[in-house]
Amino acid sequence: MKHIFTLLALILVCSLASAQQALWGGARIVSPQINPDYSVTFRLAAPNAKKVQVTGDFLPTQTIKSDSGEYEAPGVAELRNEEGVWEFTSTPLAPELYSYSFIVDGLTIRDPANVHQIRDVASVTNVFIITKKKGDCGDLYSVNDVPHGSVTRVWYDSPTLGFARRMTVYTPPGYDNGKDKYPVLYLLHGAGGDEEAWIALGRTAQILDNLIASGEAKPMIVVMTNGNASQEAAPGEGSSGMTVPSMMNGAKNGNVLGEGAFEQSFKDVIEYVDSHFRTIRKKSSRAICGLSMGGYHSLHISHYYPDTFDYVGLFSAAIMPNPKSESPVYKDFEKQLEKQFRAKPKLYWIAIGNRDFLYKANVEYRNLLDSKDYPYEYFENEGGHIWRNWRIYLSKFAVRLF
Amino acid sequence: MKHIFTLLALILVCSLASAQQALWGGARIVSPQINPDYSVTFRLAAPNAKKVQVTGDFLPTQTIKSDSGEYEAPGVAELRNEEGVWEFTSTPLAPELYSYSFIVDGLTIRDPANVHQIRDVASVTNVFIITKKKGDCGDLYSVNDVPHGSVTRVWYDSPTLGFARRMTVYTPPGYDNGKDKYPVLYLLHGAGGDEEAWIALGRTAQILDNLIASGEAKPMIVVMTNGNASQEAAPGEGSSGMTVPSMMNGAKNGNVLGEGAFEQSFKDVIEYVDSHFRTIRKKSSRAICGLSMGGYHSLHISHYYPDTFDYVGLFSAAIMPNPKSESPVYKDFEKQLEKQFRAKPKLYWIAIGNRDFLYKANVEYRNLLDSKDYPYEYFENEGGHIWRNWRIYLSKFAVRLF
């Protein structure tokens, strides 16, 4: 019987445009191939190509000089042509979730042999995970044989913004058929991102499943919002259709509140979550954190609602004082901050990489906190403004909560 | 303030490998571009390419002859080179969700300007939707400004198979904060597919949201299982890691039950759904349908559990009598079928395209039903064994339910 379904699947596959990368039969290209020494072999069948390269964060970074200064970009390696199949093998790699693309005669493409992809803003790259042993970060980002939480895409009404919006919610194992109430972590994305960013690039469900299974993190609900106040939902998921991702796409009613709109609408998020999920509705059971723009949002939401969050995490936060703003969110910033710290949050956690372009702004912000004797904890590691760091920060922050 | 976040996003984008397709600035390639007459322009920047083609189901199909016979494949059109940017404009298109790929010097690639993609088995293609007016099929497959249900990925325990498995569940608008109980449609994928197929290629959430909003369909829960009995979850979503999709990947314990394993384990699915969701637990509030292998599964599950489903839908069903099988699922097939029809299901619905390779098998099955005077309804339309038809069948079946 099984062979009949295999035939069925084969017919389906053969009728697709990319039948050359067919699932069964023929000399199928395997790429990427993780070797026993944790080097990785990349392969691409491109008999007509003149030059094939691979680029990705598994290669040493290169420094690009441009008019607006220097920045780091993923390295590039050349593949060798072996009778039409191009091939490159990396050095042995450390545990991590890596992303890569091929460049064929100057054109950046996905690996047709690898269906595993992640969208970051408007770019899609292939991904793979290196895991060496239980508990390493590759293992932490993998689906393991542990109880799994559920991940739900829900639409909530935002009376403040005037339209319905989409969010992604992780509920821990046992939530679905239990009666317990749970604490909530609000987890915010960066500029250009949306409600899909943390679940895809951030591996939130895997990190939480694994940390809860090992007993390192408490079972919690994680709410991943869309922080672009004029946007309903991620690209293709809202009523503006399949447009190109941008911060301004999917605009509904424009940004009616102007500056601070998302922060002001955050009460709608909390109200929805507290009324639709079994939450513990108190400050000691609420955390908020975010990366880059989401760090900025976390900073301001946590003082704008000073009795709401006992745990605040700023990951590579965009620290941008805005003293001239008339928005109630940014007005009297230092007074609001004083009020927040007077209420003694249990953890105010700042994390950044030592090559992050926001490093200096974070030093200045810590100087401000120091000058006021506001207690916070600080974590600094290698690297820049990258997801690799944000996954680490989530892992480190989650185990400190509740 | 907004420009600061734009800068932040720009820095993020520039640090990606595919910065050439950057979100802002420069002469960004727009592709696909839907023109006022509903023709579509495809563009690709590939200055070094010699030949660029586009292939997809928006083009007339071509007939491919192979050793195993003739089959239909999507057509191919050539793009014209305009100073390094290749371009092709289609004829005006009818409303539909279309998929396409580029072929650059023989290499099939995704459109780097379009992040909207769908995976079908082991192939990823770009997609776009043509909608002309409210109520056409493009509109039915689009996210509209109507109340939205929630879509949840959950793991259920399957004692029959001996491991936990992933499924996708649609709950209708109002479910999350109401107390009502709902009927359930079990919606099964074809060979090579998994629990992601109907939600991605099938546009189930959009079809249900829109049909419920218009009053054409009753609010219902839709359960999309993984029909590969040895598989935990879709590629990359299970503990076998980021392997190549195949029917045999992600195998846990092998297929312990042999033939009919998925059908036998279906009681675990129903039990989970009835104990974790607010369902109406009776025959008149349960429907089952599926495409191809999922039609085969629906056929057999519905007679194997004869008092369970009042609505049965066979979409391009793989009708494969298996009289010699010792599996309790297939044994005494005609007796079981007699029992099922004696209990008078409210709707037994068979649908197939007139060029489907399973057309003849379906004629034979209808002849069997006719010979026994078992009542069923039949719907036939144009075309073959394709998602375009299965979305139509879901739309037509859903409005007949409950």
Side-chain angles (χ1 to χ4, degrees):
Chain A
M1 179 65 67
K2 207 167 281 170
H3 67 278
I4 304 183
F5 290 130
T6 304
L7 177 69
L8 269 182
L10 187 61
I11 289 163
L12 284 172
V13 169
C14 285
S15 67
L16 295 170
S18 41
Q20 64 179 44
Q21 293 293 337
L23 192 44
W24 291 276
R28 203 186 165 285
I29 300 294
V30 176
S31 178
Q33 175 186 298
I34 298 170
N35 303 311
D37 66 350
Y38 303 105
S39 66
V40 176
T41 301
F42 302 87
R43 292 189 186 90
L44 180 74
N48 303 320
K50 291 215 169 55
K51 185 177 182 181
V52 178
Q53 297 160 295
V54 60
T55 179
D57 55 6
F58 68 92
L59 291 163
T61 56
Q62 51 177 333
T63 303
I64 306 280
K65 288 177 191 175
S66 77
D67 294 345
S68 49
E70 289 185 6
Y71 65 94
E72 285 181 15
V76 176
E78 253 184 75
L79 282 73
R80 213 181 52 230
N81 187 355
E82 302 269 8
E83 297 179 10
V85 176
W86 298 73
E87 195 173 305
F88 171 78
T89 298
S90 74
T91 57
L93 300 178
E96 187 53 70
L97 183 154
Y98 294 99
S99 65
Y100 71 99
S101 298
F102 288 132
I103 306 173
V104 180
D105 295 331
L107 183 65
T108 300
I109 68 164
R110 306 292 76 73
D111 182 348
N114 182 1
V115 297
H116 304 294
Q117 314 188 338
I118 290 182
R119 177 181 60 84
D120 189 10
V121 190
S123 295
V124 179
T125 53
N126 288 107
V127 293
F128 64 94
I129 294 179
I130 297 284
T131 306
K132 295 190 181 178
K133 61 178 201 293
K134 195 168 159 47
D136 68 25
C137 75
D139 180 63
L140 190 60
Y141 308 154
S142 295
V143 179
N144 290 314
D145 201 357
V146 298
H148 301 294
S150 297
V151 177
T152 305
R153 270 72 173 187
V154 298
W155 287 77
Y156 71 99
D157 200 42
S158 178
T160 305
L161 296 171
F163 53 93
R165 311 189 71 226
R166 194 169 175 265
M167 61 164 94
T168 302
V169 181
Y170 169 89
T171 51
Y175 178 92
D176 289 344
N177 63 337
K179 302 216 153 156
D180 288 349
K181 295 184 172 188
Y182 292 86
V184 183
L185 166 62
Y186 292 87
L187 182 58
L188 312 183
H189 65 78
D194 51 60
E195 76 276 16
E196 295 291 327
W198 269 108
I199 207 76
L201 288 146
R203 303 295 285 178
T204 301
Q206 291 74 36
I207 291 171
L208 267 290
D209 277 357
N210 291 324
L211 291 179
I212 291 170
S214 67
E216 290 165 271
K218 296 211 171 61
M220 65 182 85
I221 296 168
V222 184
V223 174
M224 290 153 273
T225 49
N226 183 316
N228 310 303
S230 58
Q231 201 178 58
E232 272 183 289
E237 302 292 349
S239 60
S240 59
M242 292 186 173
T243 51
V244 178
S246 97
M247 290 169 68
M248 290 302 104
N249 272 348
K252 296 271 292 188
N253 315 335
N255 187 335
V256 285
L257 296 175
E259 285 189 350
F262 178 64
E263 293 93 323
Q264 286 176 269
S265 79
F266 209 78
K267 62 176 179 289
D268 302 339
V269 175
I270 299 171
E271 196 172 303
Y272 181 90
V273 170
D274 277 345
S275 60
H276 289 71
F277 293 87
R278 295 194 317 276
T279 59
I280 305 171
R281 302 179 195 186
K282 52 186 188 184
K283 188 186 178 193
S284 60
S285 295
R286 281 197 208 95
I288 189 165
C289 66
L291 73 92
S292 194
M293 179 181 83
Y296 173 93
H297 283 150
S298 299
L299 190 163
H300 290 294
I301 289 168
S302 68
H303 70 67
Y304 186 62
Y305 304 95
D307 299 320
T308 308
F309 303 97
D310 239 344
Y311 302 85
V312 179
L314 312 183
F315 305 170
S316 310
I319 308 283
M320 294 182 285
N322 200 3
K324 288 187 184 156
S325 173
E326 284 302 303
S327 165
V329 178
Y330 311 120
K331 221 174 149 176
D332 303 323
F333 170 62
E334 293 203 11
K335 258 191 211 163
Q336 294 197 45
L337 204 62
E338 190 197 342
K339 199 173 165 194
Q340 179 181 11
F341 278 96
R342 211 187 304 133
K344 296 188 191 303
K346 287 190 177 161
L347 178 64
Y348 199 92
W349 197 77
I350 298 174
I352 195 159
N354 59 7
R355 295 198 303 279
D356 195 306
F357 72 97
L358 290 166
Y359 188 87
K360 188 163 163 276
N362 274 258
V363 170
E364 284 162 12
Y365 185 58
R366 287 190 291 120
N367 288 343
L368 172 70
L369 297 180
D370 288 338
S371 73
K372 308 277 187 184
D373 275 333
Y374 297 153
Y376 64 91
E377 290 187 32
Y378 179 61
F379 175 75
E380 182 177 316
N381 65 345
E382 286 291 313
H385 205 71
I386 51 175
W387 272 102
R388 188 186 297 209
N389 276 348
W390 302 325
R391 287 187 289 266
I392 292 172
Y393 303 159
L394 172 61
S395 313
K396 292 193 171 287
F397 189 62
V399 300
R400 301 290 306 279
L401 301 180
F402 313 125
Chain B
M1 179 66 66
K2 206 167 281 168
H3 68 278
I4 303 183
F5 289 131
T6 305
L7 176 69
L8 270 182
L10 187 62
I11 289 164
L12 284 172
V13 169
C14 285
S15 67
L16 295 170
S18 42
Q20 64 178 42
Q21 292 293 337
L23 192 44
W24 291 275
R28 203 187 166 285
I29 299 294
V30 176
S31 178
Q33 175 187 298
I34 298 170
N35 303 311
D37 66 350
Y38 302 105
S39 66
V40 175
T41 301
F42 302 86
R43 292 190 186 90
L44 180 73
N48 302 320
K50 290 214 170 55
K51 186 177 181 180
V52 178
Q53 296 161 296
V54 61
T55 180
D57 55 6
F58 68 93
L59 291 163
T61 56
Q62 52 176 334
T63 304
I64 307 280
K65 288 176 190 175
S66 77
D67 293 346
S68 49
E70 290 186 3
Y71 64 95
E72 285 181 13
V76 175
E78 253 184 75
L79 282 73
R80 213 180 53 231
N81 187 355
E82 302 269 8
E83 298 178 11
V85 176
W86 298 74
E87 195 173 306
F88 171 78
T89 297
S90 74
T91 57
L93 300 178
E96 188 52 71
L97 182 155
Y98 295 99
S99 65
Y100 71 99
S101 298
F102 288 132
I103 306 172
V104 180
D105 294 331
L107 182 67
T108 300
I109 69 165
R110 307 290 78 73
D111 182 350
N114 182 1
V115 297
H116 304 294
Q117 314 188 339
I118 290 181
R119 177 181 61 84
D120 188 10
V121 192
S123 295
V124 179
T125 53
N126 287 107
V127 292
F128 64 94
I129 294 178
I130 297 283
T131 307
K132 295 190 181 178
K133 61 177 201 293
K134 194 168 160 46
D136 68 26
C137 76
D139 180 64
L140 190 59
Y141 308 154
S142 295
V143 179
N144 291 315
D145 201 357
V146 298
H148 302 294
S150 297
V151 177
T152 305
R153 271 73 173 185
V154 297
W155 287 77
Y156 70 99
D157 200 41
S158 177
T160 305
L161 295 171
F163 53 93
R165 310 188 72 226
R166 193 168 176 266
M167 61 165 93
T168 302
V169 181
Y170 169 89
T171 51
Y175 179 91
D176 290 343
N177 63 338
K179 302 216 152 154
D180 288 349
K181 295 184 172 189
Y182 293 86
V184 183
L185 166 62
Y186 292 87
L187 182 59
L188 312 183
H189 64 79
D194 51 60
E195 74 276 16
E196 295 292 326
W198 269 109
I199 206 76
L201 288 146
R203 304 294 286 178
T204 302
Q206 290 74 35
I207 291 172
L208 267 291
D209 278 356
N210 290 324
L211 291 178
I212 291 169
S214 68
E216 290 165 89
K218 296 211 170 61
M220 66 183 84
I221 296 168
V222 184
V223 174
M224 290 153 273
T225 49
N226 183 316
N228 311 305
S230 59
Q231 201 178 58
E232 273 183 289
E237 302 291 349
S239 60
S240 60
M242 291 186 173
T243 51
V244 178
S246 98
M247 290 170 66
M248 289 301 104
N249 272 348
K252 295 272 291 189
N253 314 335
N255 188 335
V256 285
L257 296 175
E259 285 189 350
F262 178 64
E263 293 92 324
Q264 285 177 269
S265 79
F266 209 78
K267 62 175 180 289
D268 302 338
V269 174
I270 298 171
E271 196 173 303
Y272 181 90
V273 170
D274 277 346
S275 61
H276 288 72
F277 292 88
R278 295 195 317 276
T279 60
I280 306 171
R281 301 178 195 187
K282 50 185 191 185
K283 187 186 178 193
S284 60
S285 295
R286 281 197 206 94
I288 189 165
C289 66
L291 72 93
S292 194
M293 178 180 84
Y296 174 93
H297 283 151
S298 299
L299 190 162
H300 290 293
I301 289 168
S302 68
H303 71 68
Y304 186 63
Y305 304 95
D307 298 320
T308 308
F309 303 97
D310 238 343
Y311 303 85
V312 180
L314 313 184
F315 305 170
S316 309
I319 309 283
M320 295 181 285
N322 201 3
K324 289 187 184 156
S325 173
E326 283 304 303
S327 166
V329 178
Y330 309 120
K331 220 173 152 176
D332 302 324
F333 171 62
E334 293 202 13
K335 258 191 212 165
Q336 293 197 47
L337 203 61
E338 189 197 343
K339 199 173 165 195
Q340 179 181 12
F341 277 96
R342 211 188 303 133
K344 296 188 191 304
K346 287 190 177 161
L347 178 65
Y348 199 92
W349 196 77
I350 297 174
I352 195 160
N354 58 7
R355 294 198 304 279
D356 196 307
F357 72 98
L358 291 167
Y359 187 87
K360 186 163 165 277
N362 274 258
V363 169
E364 285 161 11
Y365 185 59
R366 286 190 291 120
N367 288 343
L368 171 70
L369 297 180
D370 289 338
S371 72
K372 307 276 186 185
D373 274 333
Y374 297 153
Y376 65 91
E377 291 188 31
Y378 179 60
F379 175 76
E380 181 177 316
N381 65 346
E382 286 290 315
H385 205 71
I386 51 175
W387 271 103
R388 189 188 296 209
N389 276 347
W390 301 326
R391 288 187 289 265
I392 292 171
Y393 303 158
L394 173 61
S395 312
K396 292 195 171 286
F397 188 64
V399 300
R400 301 290 305 278
L401 301 180
F402 313 123

